[in-house]
Amino acid sequence: MVSPKSAVHAARRRRLLDHVGPTGAVIVPAAAVHIRNNDVEHSYRQDSDFFYLTGFDEPHAVLVLSHAHPEQQSVLFVQPRDPSREVWDGPRLGAEGVVSELGVDAGFDIAELAEKLPGFLEGVDTVHYAVGSGHPFDAQLFAAVGAARQRARRSGKLFPTTFVDPLHGIHEMRLFKDEAELDAMRRAAAVTADAHQRAMVVARPGMHEFEVQAAMDHIFRLGGCERTAYDSIVGSGPNATILHYRANRRKMEAGDLLLIDAGCELDYYASDVTRTFPVGGRFTEPQKILYEICLASQETAIAATKPGATLDDVHEAAASVIAAGLIEHGLIEGPLDEAMKEQRYKTFFMHKTSHWIGMDVHDVGAYFADGAPRPLEPGMVLTIEPGIYVAENAEVDERWRGIGIRIEDDILVTADGHENLTAAVPKTVADVEALTTSGA
Ligand code: GLY
Ligand code: MN
Ligand code: MN
């Protein structure tokens, strides 16, 4: 009897097997283990495709979905039970455990892979596998394909002649979030919202950026998150203008803005939220002007998010509000249509507005269909994250220099529009200042 959670993974495997058809196979290795130095490993995080199809977080495993053996369509090759190793690394499910706990049809010792894999490729002409990702398993798979080819010369059966990228199978499934996934994303969003609110309350001049980061990490872990979804960006003052600043070691000063781009990962689902707020006080007038432009841009882009719209439409909506604001305050030249055509806003808003989000913060899924940006559909989740970054040496009026702002939420496309999964994180000037001045 497998758990309801395993039933979700089993249903996904079934769907994928149906999608690849009787002569297709899907092969997904577990994430490789990476050595940090000597015999110490980097912390292990399972490959998202593998976890999506199995719910299994052990390393040194390979999932094979194939119709070659009708009774063994879902098969896992795994580390065997080994009390002497389990003393060091913790319990393993082993070949029998993955059948009883995860609901696969069969489990085998990973040491049997080279011998058994060619048999699962007999009668298979198409293998869905991420060729070119550099996974150490590549060599084993190619050897198995070679062995299947040799066997086919005698048996006359099909052997793999085509590799299909996961983009067209698993990743298309992952792009559309099911209810179990949305539940995890909502829970990750709730913990992330708590952490951002805590940051707004605790940040004070004289503290280091990493102290605020630590306060957020504390809430992430207490909330049940295994890890952050990406390295947190906690950039104060001019560091807020560095898009992927991660040093997080500056001592904050009165009058700084603090840009925090941080989200937790919960049950393998990410959240990705950015807020920008004054450290222990109120926005200065120039900060407030640029903040209101960025917020209006983000709200306009969120409003444009609905089935049928494209990410280019959403970006255009965000960029035109920023361009209009920058023209109004003399940071770029108008008129608006020319500024948009020449993308003059790019000096201060140099990235795109959105990416898919799900198990991976920059999630899988095709952005284009037939060479054109694909229309949004219900079940997709994307970020909306416009920003305005005025470098310290920018050729603009001095009062704007060194101001960096980004505001980011995670947006689910619904049948009649959208739902902001991270709406609980305050972002109006009044709501933000209520927290940043709460201890004053
Ligand atoms: N946190 C990375 C990003 O916003 O894309
Ligand atoms: Mn982000
Ligand atoms: Mn993002």
Side-chain angles (χ1 to χ4, degrees):
M1 180 67 188
V2 297
S3 72
K5 216 166 179 182
S6 299
V8 168
H9 299 118
R12 291 173 185 159
R13 293 194 294 270
R14 187 74 259 147
R15 237 182 100 195
L16 198 52
L17 274 160
D18 289 346
H19 168 77
V20 303
T23 60
V26 181
I27 301 185
V28 189
V33 171
H34 293 283
I35 296 296
R36 178 169 157 176
N37 41 47
N38 303 321
D39 57 351
V40 173
E41 296 164 358
H42 280 285
S43 59
Y44 189 74
R45 197 270 191 190
Q46 187 54 278
D47 174 82
S48 294
D49 286 343
F50 186 91
F51 195 83
Y52 180 79
L53 294 169
T54 62
F56 185 48
D57 63 4
E58 290 184 29
H60 306 298
V62 175
L63 173 70
V64 180
L65 306 181
S66 133
H67 299 270
H69 305 309
E71 303 300 314
Q72 297 182 341
Q73 298 194 356
S74 286
V75 173
L76 270 171
F77 290 85
V78 299
Q79 302 175 110
R81 297 293 315 271
D82 179 348
S84 68
R85 280 313 314 168
E86 291 176 47
V87 165
W88 290 88
D89 298 327
R92 299 173 175 180
L93 280 185
E96 288 172 12
V98 295
V99 174
S100 59
E101 299 298 316
L102 306 178
V104 292
D105 301 326
F108 298 107
D109 186 335
I110 187 78
E112 295 182 78
L113 185 76
E115 179 204 325
K116 286 202 155 49
L117 187 53
F120 285 99
L121 298 176
E122 282 184 340
V124 166
D125 60 4
T126 306
V127 175
H128 290 243
Y129 178 75
V131 173
S133 64
H135 196 291
F137 173 70
D138 280 0
Q140 281 176 285
L141 175 60
F142 297 156
V145 169
R149 182 195 295 123
Q150 290 306 325
R151 291 190 194 189
R153 283 163 53 85
R154 297 275 179 186
S155 68
K157 288 187 177 171
L158 292 173
F159 65 94
T161 51
T162 304
F163 283 92
V164 175
D165 195 87
L167 188 72
H168 301 290
I170 311 170
H171 293 179
E172 193 63 16
M173 284 169 66
R174 280 178 52 194
L175 180 55
F176 294 89
K177 275 65 180 175
D178 61 33
E179 276 313 311
E181 296 182 283
L182 289 175
D183 175 62
M185 292 193 78
R186 288 194 175 94
R187 286 183 289 115
V191 179
T192 298
D194 282 351
H196 275 272
Q197 293 182 74
R198 182 88 191 126
M200 290 178 193
V201 169
V202 300
R204 286 287 175 272
M207 281 173 73
H208 291 87
E209 295 160 345
F210 57 73
E211 294 177 67
V212 181
Q213 180 181 10
M216 297 183 80
D217 286 344
H218 185 68
I219 290 179
F220 289 156
R221 291 309 301 247
L222 285 182
C225 301
E226 298 85 2
R227 53 186 83 84
T228 56
Y230 49 92
D231 287 348
S232 302
I233 297 168
V234 185
S236 62
N239 291 339
T241 67
I242 303 169
L243 298 186
H244 282 172
Y245 173 76
R246 288 182 298 265
N248 301 351
R249 57 174 163 247
R250 178 176 172 273
K251 193 185 260 195
M252 298 180 287
E253 297 172 10
D256 282 348
L257 284 183
L258 179 60
L259 183 157
I260 299 183
D261 183 345
C264 72
E265 183 180 301
L266 184 58
D267 290 348
Y268 276 84
Y269 284 84
S271 86
D272 182 7
V273 171
T274 308
R275 289 293 184 266
T276 309
F277 58 86
V279 174
R282 298 184 185 281
F283 289 92
T284 66
E285 201 52 33
Q287 288 169 352
K288 186 147 95 182
I289 289 169
L290 296 188
Y291 187 88
E292 295 280 25
I293 294 169
C294 190
L295 182 58
S297 158
Q298 203 230 13
E299 286 177 338
T300 303
I302 292 175
T305 303
K306 54 177 189 255
T310 67
L311 291 189
D312 279 8
D313 297 334
V314 171
H315 180 62
E316 197 77 1
S320 58
V321 173
I322 286 184
L326 294 178
I327 292 167
E328 184 187 343
H329 294 282
L331 283 93
I332 61 172
E333 282 197 17
L336 182 60
D337 56 347
E338 274 179 28
M340 285 302 291
K341 209 162 98 204
E342 294 179 11
Q343 301 188 331
R344 288 178 196 152
Y345 59 84
K346 270 193 152 177
T347 310
F348 304 106
F349 172 30
M350 56 292 270
H351 56 77
K352 283 285 193 179
T353 301
S354 304
H355 54 79
W356 306 134
I357 179 168
M359 297 186 82
D360 301 335
V361 61
H362 292 175
D363 207 24
V364 295
Y367 284 100
F368 295 89
D370 303 324
R374 70 188 290 172
L376 296 176
E377 295 176 58
M380 295 171 164
V381 186
L382 56 132
T383 64
I384 297 198
E385 49 179 306
I388 300 174
Y389 314 93
V390 188
E392 282 189 289
N393 61 358
E395 291 173 6
V396 293
D397 191 290
E398 195 182 350
R399 68 193 179 129
W400 309 116
R401 291 185 196 151
I403 297 178
I405 296 161
R406 177 163 65 254
I407 306 172
E408 173 174 30
D409 284 303
D410 303 341
I411 310 296
L412 165 68
V413 182
T414 61
D416 51 7
H418 59 264
E419 175 190 334
N420 184 348
L421 300 179
T422 50
V425 195
K427 62 182 173 182
T428 65
V429 166
D431 287 348
V432 167
E433 288 186 346
L435 292 178
T436 59
T437 60
S438 61

